[in-house]
């Protein structure tokens, strides 16, 4: 069964760093993109960026570029979303989602990681 | 960025009746390859989003044929032929024609 299993909820203070993960199972990790999508409290969905694990090719939403880093570790079929310095405005649910090359929708989603940033 | 506009914001529905959601984009989503890069997702209460329709009209695996997508260019529609109680949730369209992909604001489907 294809699954994306995300790391657990996090509570952090402004200025702290954080890396959340999305471990994949049941398919060839190197043949699909992994996207990160965030959902601010009570709001809609925002695409943050995407990585292709084979070459670690990444693309970011220009509105977020420089604020987060997306990476992948092929040896453990896991993608990551990393902040060097969190802000309270980063409080959100973060989803990873799988996408095929050439785009045919994001067909498998993780369960989401709730990140709370508060002083 | 391409702006996606959905209507209505809220859609009360009666089980057994049809329902329709509109999605408009600020730029054409039709690629030269003939595909419209428009997806539909539903986020049921307390769950992650799930793919319903890709490339404008392709039903995702396991999606009932009650759901259909249509449209081209800048105007798209998601139709539910016969609403069931389990269809409640927030429906989003998303364009993948241009980076960054952008979502509509969502349409909340609820049972009357």
């Amino acid at each position: 069964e294809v699954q994306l299993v995300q790391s657990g909820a996090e509570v952090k203070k402004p200025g702290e760093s954080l890396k959340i993960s999305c471990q994949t199972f049941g398919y060839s990790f190197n043949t699909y993109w992994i996207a990160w999508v965030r959902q601010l409290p009570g709001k809609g969905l925002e695409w943050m960026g995407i990585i292709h694990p084979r070459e670690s090719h990444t693309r970011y939403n220009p509105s977020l570029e420089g604020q987060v880093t997306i990476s992948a570790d092929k040896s453990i079929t896991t993608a990551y979303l990393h902040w060097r310095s969190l802000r309270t405005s980063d409080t959100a649910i973060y989803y990873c989602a799988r996408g095929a090359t050439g785009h045919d929708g994001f067909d498998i989603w993780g369960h989401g990681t709730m990140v709370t940033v508060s002083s | 960025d391409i702006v996606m506009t959905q209507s209505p914001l809220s859609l009360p529905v009666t089980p057994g009746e049809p329902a329709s959601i509109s999605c408009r984009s600020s730029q054409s989503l039709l690629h030269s390859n003939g595909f419209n890069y428009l997806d539909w997702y539903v986020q049921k209460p307390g769950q992650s989003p799930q793919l319903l329709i890709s490339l404008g009209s392709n039903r995702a695996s396991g999606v009932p044929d009650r759901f259909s997508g249509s449209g081209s260019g800048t105007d798209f529609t998601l139709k539910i032929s016969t609403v069931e109680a389990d269809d409640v949730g927030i429906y989003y369209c998303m364009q993948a024609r241009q980076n960054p992909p952008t979502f509509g604001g969502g349409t909340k489907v609820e049972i009357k």
Side-chain angles (χ1 to χ4, degrees):
Chain A
E1 180 190 1
V2 176
Q3 290 186 77
L4 303 183
V5 179
Q6 296 188 232
S7 49
E10 301 275 1
V11 179
K12 292 288 189 179
K13 290 181 167 30
E16 291 185 330
S17 65
L18 175 65
K19 186 183 252 188
I20 62 175
S21 65
C22 171
Q23 188 169 15
T24 73
F25 300 90
Y27 74 95
S28 176
F29 185 60
N30 288 340
T31 59
Y32 286 83
W33 295 82
I34 294 288
W36 287 95
V37 175
R38 76 175 178 181
Q39 188 165 36
L40 298 174
K43 300 295 185 182
L45 304 170
E46 181 180 21
W47 185 91
M48 300 180 70
I50 200 165
I51 187 166
H52 198 290
R54 180 180 294 153
E55 316 92 6
S56 285
H57 179 66
T58 53
R59 291 202 299 264
Y60 293 91
N61 188 325
S63 70
L64 297 169
E65 195 147 11
Q67 297 179 32
V68 295
T69 302
I70 295 171
S71 61
D73 185 336
K74 290 183 285 189
S75 68
I76 53 172
T77 65
T78 299
Y80 299 95
L81 183 62
H82 176 237
W83 293 262
R84 278 188 291 186
S85 181
L86 286 160
R87 310 172 185 180
T88 56
S89 56
D90 293 319
T91 295
I93 300 174
Y94 293 86
Y95 297 100
C96 59
R98 186 185 81 161
T101 298
H103 191 79
D104 194 16
F106 294 117
D107 64 341
I108 305 292
W109 291 64
H111 54 79
T113 295
M114 178 70 218
V115 173
T116 303
V117 185
S118 174
S119 54
Chain B
D1 295 3
I2 295 178
V3 177
M4 306 299 291
T5 304
Q6 289 183 232
S7 61
L9 292 181
S10 176
L11 183 58
V13 296
T14 300
E17 294 295 306
S20 179
I21 299 170
S22 172
C23 175
R24 289 188 170 177
S25 57
S26 61
Q27 299 176 41
S28 177
L29 305 185
L30 180 61
H31 193 277
S32 56
N33 62 13
F35 290 109
N36 285 283
Y37 283 78
L38 186 283
D39 305 331
W40 289 97
Y41 298 86
V42 61
Q43 187 172 29
K44 296 183 178 181
Q47 296 185 21
S48 307
Q50 57 191 80
L51 178 66
L52 290 173
I53 302 286
S54 65
L55 299 175
S57 60
N58 293 349
R59 256 191 315 275
S61 175
V63 174
D65 60 8
R66 304 183 288 107
F67 293 90
S68 64
S70 64
S72 185
T74 61
D75 289 301
F76 298 88
T77 302
L78 176 71
K79 291 182 179 175
I80 310 173
S81 60
T82 309
V83 171
E84 296 185 359
D86 187 54
D87 296 336
V88 296
I90 302 176
Y91 289 73
Y92 295 96
C93 59
M94 186 202 85
Q95 68 80 20
R97 178 63 182 86
Q98 186 182 101
N99 195 54
T102 45
F103 291 88
T107 294
K108 187 172 185 179
V109 171
E110 49 197 1
I111 300 297
K112 281 184 183 174

